[in-house]
Amino acid sequence: MVLNGKMVLQIPSNGDGGAGCFYGNLQVQIGDCYAEFEISDRVIDAKVFGDGSMKIRNAVQSRQRIRLEGTPPHRDGFEPDFRGAREIDLFFHCPPDEPGVLRGHYSSEVGGNLYSKAAGKWYR
C-alpha cells in the first residue's frame, strides 16, 4: 500500500482537541490485483503529546476507486464507492534513530466494532 496525501490540522497550543482534514491518493497491490483510490477524511480529533507523538481520529468521508486491475481478493473495500461510516484511529511517533520517518499503528471501526488494524511506516 502506498498513500500520498496531505493533512491540514489546526491544533490548539495545549496540544488537545485539534481538527482538520486529510486527502490524497491510495494505491493498493494484493497479489495480481492493483487498485487506486482518491480519498478524503475529516479529522475529528487530534492530540499532540509532549514527546512529539500524535493521536488522530479520522472519519472517512470519501473513497472513490479510480483504477482497478486484476481480481480483488475480496469485495469489501474495492467497490467503486466506499460503503458505510468508518472511523480510523492513528498513533504516530518519530523514532529518534530514523530522521524523516513516522512509525505508528492504526485501527478502523465500523459501527463501534473493530474492523481492521495494522502497523505502518510513513516517510517525509
Side-chain angles (χ1 to χ4, degrees):
M1 179 176 88
V2 175
L3 177 61
N4 292 309
K6 296 195 184 282
M7 186 176 287
V8 179
L9 294 174
Q10 182 175 8
I11 301 175
S13 58
N14 69 0
D16 241 345
C21 65
F22 176 79
Y23 58 94
N25 177 274
L26 173 66
Q27 301 167 11
V28 179
Q29 177 84 45
I30 301 174
D32 71 342
C33 177
Y34 171 81
E36 193 171 333
F37 303 87
E38 291 295 328
I39 68 170
S40 173
D41 292 0
R42 184 172 52 98
V43 177
I44 55 178
D45 188 41
K47 180 177 178 121
V48 177
F49 299 97
D51 64 359
S53 60
M54 292 181 71
K55 185 176 180 183
I56 297 172
R57 186 164 184 89
N58 287 354
V60 172
Q61 297 295 296
S62 172
R63 298 280 190 276
Q64 292 186 315
R65 190 184 73 209
I66 57 175
R67 188 171 174 188
L68 178 63
E69 298 172 2
T71 304
H74 47 78
R75 191 178 115 196
D76 188 46
F78 288 88
E79 307 94 351
D81 292 304
F82 208 66
R83 299 177 312 175
R86 294 194 188 175
E87 291 190 351
I88 301 170
D89 286 309
L90 303 131
F91 177 78
F92 300 106
H93 69 282
C94 300
D97 58 339
E98 295 181 278
V101 172
L102 286 174
R103 288 199 178 263
H105 58 271
Y106 73 91
S107 60
S108 68
E109 295 178 1
V110 177
N113 296 313
L114 181 65
Y115 186 78
S116 64
K117 65 187 228 176
K121 183 176 181 180
W122 295 265
Y123 299 93
R124 182 169 13 144

